[in-house]
Amino acid sequence: MNVQGIIFDLDGVIVSTDHYHYLGWKKIADEEGIAFNETINNRLRGVSRMESLAIILERADKSYSEEEKVALASKKNGYYVEYLSDLNASHILDGVQELLPGLKERNIKIAIGSSSRNAKLILEKIGLLHSFDAIADGSEIKNSKPDPEVFLLAAQKMGLEPAQCAVVEDAISGIDAANAANMISIAVSDAKTYDKAAYRLDGVEELLLLLG
């Protein structure tokens, strides 16, 4: 595989904060009297905050105004940020600490491409804020995955063409976004059974073997 830049999804690839998201949405759902569980939560992976809220509100007994929706989403984010206070370098996923220096040694640029508006906060908490050449996150895009916008922005920030980049993702929507961006899609974790991924790895550390 010949690439000049690799873009990483954040949650589920570099670090896992899925449980904190779940707790935040569960608290909102409980307050609103809406049924919510882990199965429903799985539908929220890789999508924006407002799209996640829309999925949760499918089971609501009443309709919500746009102002009410924005308020709920903001409230959930407040809960989520509170839960993030526990986050530290020990939450970095296996293989990441060894992988990033290996990519730097190969002169491969690295970036984060995340739908999360909290990407920089999370990276700061785990001590990796300054480890990437570029960060593209949910605060800079209009369309979340499977739209390729965040990955195209990350490539642009690295000064690379899409065809020069690969994307590492753990969500099907992220693999679809990478393919739509004309980038090499690399699936890990929950996405590694997805047959539309160009490569499927058991762990991110295998990436160095792909690069040779």
Side-chain angles (χ1 to χ4, degrees):
M1 185 178 71
N2 184 24
V3 295
Q4 295 183 38
I6 297 179
I7 304 168
F8 294 89
D9 176 41
L10 179 57
D11 206 0
V13 176
I14 301 297
V15 63
S16 180
T17 67
D18 275 355
H19 185 60
Y20 298 137
H21 278 296
Y22 172 73
L23 291 176
W25 285 125
K26 181 77 167 95
K27 194 166 184 177
I28 289 293
D30 288 348
E31 290 172 353
E32 297 297 311
I34 301 170
F36 184 66
N37 55 34
E38 294 277 9
T39 301
I40 300 168
N41 188 63
N42 286 339
R43 292 177 57 197
L44 312 185
R45 298 180 69 250
V47 304
S48 71
R49 192 183 303 166
M50 294 308 294
E51 288 172 319
S52 294
L53 178 62
I55 291 170
I56 291 169
L57 295 184
E58 289 172 357
R59 290 160 183 78
D61 293 329
K62 69 169 190 174
S63 58
Y64 291 79
S65 68
E66 286 306 308
E67 291 79 7
E68 288 173 323
K69 291 176 183 177
V70 169
L72 285 175
S74 178
K75 193 175 184 182
K76 178 268 173 180
N77 189 58
Y79 292 149
Y80 174 67
V81 171
E82 286 179 19
Y83 294 133
L84 286 181
S85 62
D86 293 333
L87 200 66
N88 56 56
S90 71
H91 293 89
I92 297 172
L93 294 175
D94 290 347
V96 172
Q97 299 275 42
E98 298 75 27
L99 172 64
L100 299 185
L103 295 176
K104 290 284 190 179
E105 288 170 7
R106 289 166 169 77
N107 294 315
I108 293 175
K109 292 184 177 181
I110 55 176
I112 291 291
S114 170
S115 297
S116 172
R117 291 173 177 266
N118 296 295
K120 290 178 182 177
L121 171 63
I122 292 168
L123 288 168
E124 183 177 20
K125 288 278 188 184
I126 62 176
L128 293 180
L129 181 60
H130 303 294
S131 297
F132 295 89
D133 298 294
I135 298 170
D137 65 23
S139 66
E140 303 171 284
I141 59 172
K142 293 180 179 178
N143 306 297
S144 59
K145 305 165 191 176
D147 190 283
E149 183 180 3
V150 74
F151 293 146
L152 294 173
L153 177 59
Q156 180 184 337
K157 286 188 171 191
M158 289 191 292
L160 298 175
E161 294 297 321
Q164 296 175 304
C165 300
V167 171
V168 183
E169 262 284 356
D170 72 316
I172 288 173
S173 61
I175 295 297
D176 287 340
N179 291 337
N182 192 33
M183 299 178 183
I184 296 172
S185 55
I186 302 172
V188 296
S189 190
D190 292 348
K192 70 179 182 180
T193 58
Y194 191 41
D195 59 8
K196 291 186 179 179
Y199 296 93
R200 291 175 281 179
L201 309 181
D202 288 328
V204 293
E205 66 279 358
E206 294 182 6
L207 190 53
L208 293 177
L209 297 175
L210 268 185
L211 295 168

